Amino acid sequence: MLKIKKTKPYQHNSSSVHIIICTIALICGIVPSLALLTYFTKPANAASLTLSGITTMQEMTPYICDNSTVGETNTLTDIRDESTYTVAKLSDSKCWMTQNLRIVDKEITPEDSDVTENFTIPASSDPWDDTGGVETNKVYYAGNAVNGAYYSWYVATVNSGTAELTGGNAPSSICPKGWKLPRTTEYETLKDLGTAKVGDWNTATDTGYWIGGAEEGSNGAAFFPAAGLVYTGTLSDVGTHGRYWSSTASDAAGAYRLGLEEDISPYIRSFFKYAGDSVRCIAEGWPSKDVNVVAVRVSPVISIDATSGMKEEVDPNKITTGTISATVSANTTYT
């Protein structure tokens, strides 16, 4: 048995999310940090709340997306800069922004964004070249709300997308809290449900693809404009190409993105991290809306992956002692 001290110091947002800080006496001499156990329980209104019942991007939860019907839409405010975006539950049963992100020149925080610490999105600058390399910290916004802003991958991943990230997914993004950059697998799933090329590609008017359905305006599909990209010091290919960052790195220099062109179907390919691409966000999901315990985390050295005996109510104003039984695994050997 592991002896612990535990408190439930606060309730997070409107849902019953309890943060329990546990001091594990057995290993406190080995691990300098406290164990963090996070419990998620279903909000009282989880059975009925849908996309139509919220007003801000930051209110999004997996419960809301699960309860919404495919094709349901709403216009939500991003509280970070008061911009509004349309969102929808698409044919992949995920909730997506259906407009391109355009936030610039703002400090974002863990309270309002998909970050673990504060990050400043830079002000819009002129289109840039490759002089900044992988860690190019640049944004360009030409004032076109349909095409949105263009972000280097370093900015899109709030500086977690460095050269050291040679594979897998960046852990953070400039998306609002409750949202994230899509993984390549999420783009693949959506486009495999159907794509429809639309617009007059010769005049660059409303060109792009409906993705998630085989016809323009299909229920559960979203329009991705051919917004172009920032590359070699210019904004180019507006109306003939579209480029959308994923969270997935390909190697030290590159990351994967969704590509749109007139003559071929949408595809996923790698490109230089210093380029400026568009950003769409997808709602972050939890393993299950009916599971009370979602995660139990400690320092990276030790994880507790099974618990029991934590059902009692605890006075949040005092420390209560108790015991839990747990299976403990570690990436090194301990006595």
Side-chain angles (χ1 to χ4, degrees):
M1 302 289 283
L2 298 178
K3 295 183 178 180
I4 65 169
K5 293 182 180 179
K6 61 190 178 183
T7 64
K8 295 185 179 180
Y10 66 93
Q11 194 171 41
H12 180 71
N13 292 333
S14 60
S15 60
S16 302
V17 180
H18 299 289
I19 308 299
I20 306 170
I21 305 298
C22 304
T23 303
I24 303 182
L26 181 64
I27 58 174
C28 65
I30 301 172
V31 181
S33 62
L34 297 178
L36 177 63
L37 284 74
T38 306
Y39 281 66
F40 297 92
T41 58
K42 187 186 297 185
N45 61 350
S48 59
L49 195 59
T50 71
L51 275 177
S52 302
I54 60 175
T55 59
T56 70
M57 296 291 294
Q58 284 76 6
E59 291 176 86
M60 173 58 74
T61 71
Y63 300 120
I64 292 170
C65 193
D66 285 345
N67 292 337
S68 302
T69 58
V70 170
E72 185 172 350
T73 66
N74 198 1
T75 299
L76 304 179
T77 299
D78 185 345
I79 63 173
R80 300 175 299 177
D81 64 354
E82 300 303 314
S83 292
T84 59
Y85 299 96
T86 55
V87 301
K89 183 169 182 175
L90 301 187
S91 53
D92 60 350
S93 294
K94 306 289 187 181
C95 290
W96 291 72
M97 289 175 57
T98 54
Q99 290 178 297
N100 293 354
L101 193 70
R102 55 184 183 274
I103 186 171
V104 298
D105 195 20
K106 289 290 180 182
E107 182 179 44
I108 59 178
T109 72
E111 287 69 41
D112 58 31
S113 303
D114 177 34
V115 296
T116 56
E117 59 185 23
N118 291 8
F119 175 79
T120 299
I121 301 173
S124 176
S125 61
D126 292 332
W128 60 90
D129 55 24
D130 62 350
T131 55
V134 171
E135 296 188 5
T136 295
N137 190 42
K138 295 285 188 178
V139 174
Y140 176 63
Y141 181 47
N144 187 314
V146 173
N147 291 338
Y150 305 86
Y151 304 91
S152 66
W153 201 63
Y154 185 80
V155 173
T157 62
V158 292
N159 76 24
S160 63
T162 63
E164 285 70 34
L165 189 64
T166 58
N169 297 292
S172 300
S173 76
I174 55 172
C175 293
K177 188 175 182 66
W179 303 76
K180 62 182 178 64
L181 275 179
R183 301 177 178 90
T184 53
T185 53
E186 290 162 329
Y187 275 133
E188 291 281 8
T189 297
L190 186 63
K191 73 183 184 64
D192 286 349
L193 293 169
T195 62
K197 180 178 62 177
V198 297
D200 186 348
W201 293 70
N202 295 318
T203 60
T205 301
D206 298 327
T207 57
Y209 275 86
W210 283 86
I211 301 180
E215 297 179 358
E216 179 180 349
S218 296
N219 186 46
F223 182 66
F224 287 72
L229 75 157
V230 170
Y231 184 57
T232 61
T234 63
L235 172 61
S236 59
D237 297 335
V238 175
T240 60
H241 294 72
R243 301 289 186 263
Y244 291 81
W245 283 127
S246 78
S247 64
T248 310
S250 58
D251 52 37
Y256 290 105
R257 59 189 187 170
L258 172 70
L260 313 176
E261 296 181 32
E262 180 180 13
D263 298 325
I264 56 179
S265 298
Y267 55 84
I268 307 293
R269 291 179 190 166
S270 174
F271 200 68
F272 296 112
K273 293 175 180 176
Y274 62 74
D277 286 351
S278 304
V279 165
R280 284 284 174 96
C281 301
I282 184 173
E284 181 68 76
W286 295 339
S288 170
K289 67 178 184 179
D290 294 321
V291 173
N292 285 335
V293 179
V294 172
V296 182
R297 300 193 306 272
V298 292
S299 130
V301 177
I302 293 179
S303 64
I304 300 176
D305 56 24
T307 64
S308 62
M310 296 290 288
K311 297 179 180 178
E312 72 275 15
E313 292 295 324
V314 178
D315 185 344
N317 298 312
K318 65 180 181 179
I319 294 177
T320 304
T321 61
T323 60
I324 61 171
S325 91
T327 300
V328 178
S329 62
N331 59 2
T332 188
T333 302
Y334 292 95
T335 301

